[in-house]
Amino acid sequence: MATSSYSPSQKGLHWLIFLLVIGLYGITFAEDFYPRGTPGRAMVWWLHISFGLLLAGAILARLGLRLTRGVPDLPSSMSTNERRLASLAHLGLYALLIAIPVIGVVLTWLRGDTLTFFSLFTIPAPFAPDRELGRTVKELHELAANLILALAALHAAAALWHHYIRRDDVLTRMLPSSQTDA
């Protein structure tokens, strides 16, 4: 079901997810300030895991809204190939947005840590720690994080291109001030 604009909830979740992805990527660099085994380093990962779970919840909510509410049609001026590229880019973003938290959960458990959401609840690992496999999964998690940043940059560049070159509404319909639909 297509609509003429994104709802305020869809827009809010879009920008929340953007901030969480950037923040989660950035916080990983804070571990370098603390030696292994220190409370500061443990706090960095506690925050990373908790905000990662928040990201997973926001992604589920965003997918739910996308499935129930739909998305605005792309401008009619876009060619078939441009529409396909846009669809592939969105599919890639959603695939990575789903994969990254799932891989992060598995990584947490492979390290032998419990999964915690701001200490409100914890979920112990359903399997024994495996540090060797954990290193491989960590590399996959990092690769996916780097890929989502690259794809998100491409996504942003395309939105800016639509706004400044094409002069269509692709960007403005996702901006918070553009609330034509409830």
Side-chain angles (χ1 to χ4, degrees):
M1 161 168 91
T3 64
S4 62
S5 180
Y6 290 101
S7 71
S9 298
Q10 287 172 303
K11 293 174 187 182
L13 285 168
H14 175 272
W15 293 108
L16 174 63
I17 289 168
F18 165 76
L19 291 173
L20 286 169
V21 167
I22 297 301
L24 283 161
Y25 193 87
I27 200 171
T28 62
F29 295 103
E31 83 168 320
D32 294 336
F33 295 112
Y34 304 99
R36 285 186 185 271
T38 63
R41 194 170 184 135
M43 176 63 75
V44 167
W45 291 114
W46 179 84
L47 287 169
H48 185 83
I49 292 165
S50 293
F51 280 110
L53 291 172
L54 181 61
L55 174 63
I59 292 162
L60 290 175
R62 177 87 194 270
L63 283 170
L65 279 174
R66 184 179 180 96
L67 293 172
T68 58
R69 185 173 163 74
V71 297
D73 290 329
L74 293 171
S76 59
S77 60
M78 288 178 67
S79 72
T80 301
N81 285 338
E82 288 173 324
R83 289 170 184 273
R84 285 183 185 141
L85 283 172
S87 292
L88 282 174
H90 281 102
L91 180 64
L93 284 167
Y94 278 107
L96 287 167
L97 284 169
I98 293 166
I100 291 169
V102 170
I103 296 167
V105 166
V106 171
L107 174 59
T108 299
W109 287 336
L110 285 171
R111 288 181 167 175
D113 297 329
T114 58
L115 198 60
T116 184
F117 181 71
F118 298 107
S119 297
L120 296 175
F121 67 82
T122 58
I123 304 170
F127 45 79
D130 184 337
R131 296 243 180 223
E132 188 175 325
L133 179 58
R135 282 188 282 282
T136 302
V137 171
K138 180 182 181 212
E139 289 176 15
L140 182 61
H141 189 62
E142 290 170 351
L143 174 63
N146 289 330
L147 285 173
I148 200 163
L149 285 184
L151 193 52
L154 182 63
H155 176 70
L160 292 171
W161 181 79
H162 274 275
H163 187 71
Y164 290 108
I165 306 299
R166 272 274 174 82
R167 300 197 181 277
D168 58 28
D169 70 342
V170 166
L171 174 63
T172 57
R173 63 191 183 167
M174 187 51 85
L175 295 177
S177 63
S178 156
Q179 297 184 2
T180 56
D181 276 4

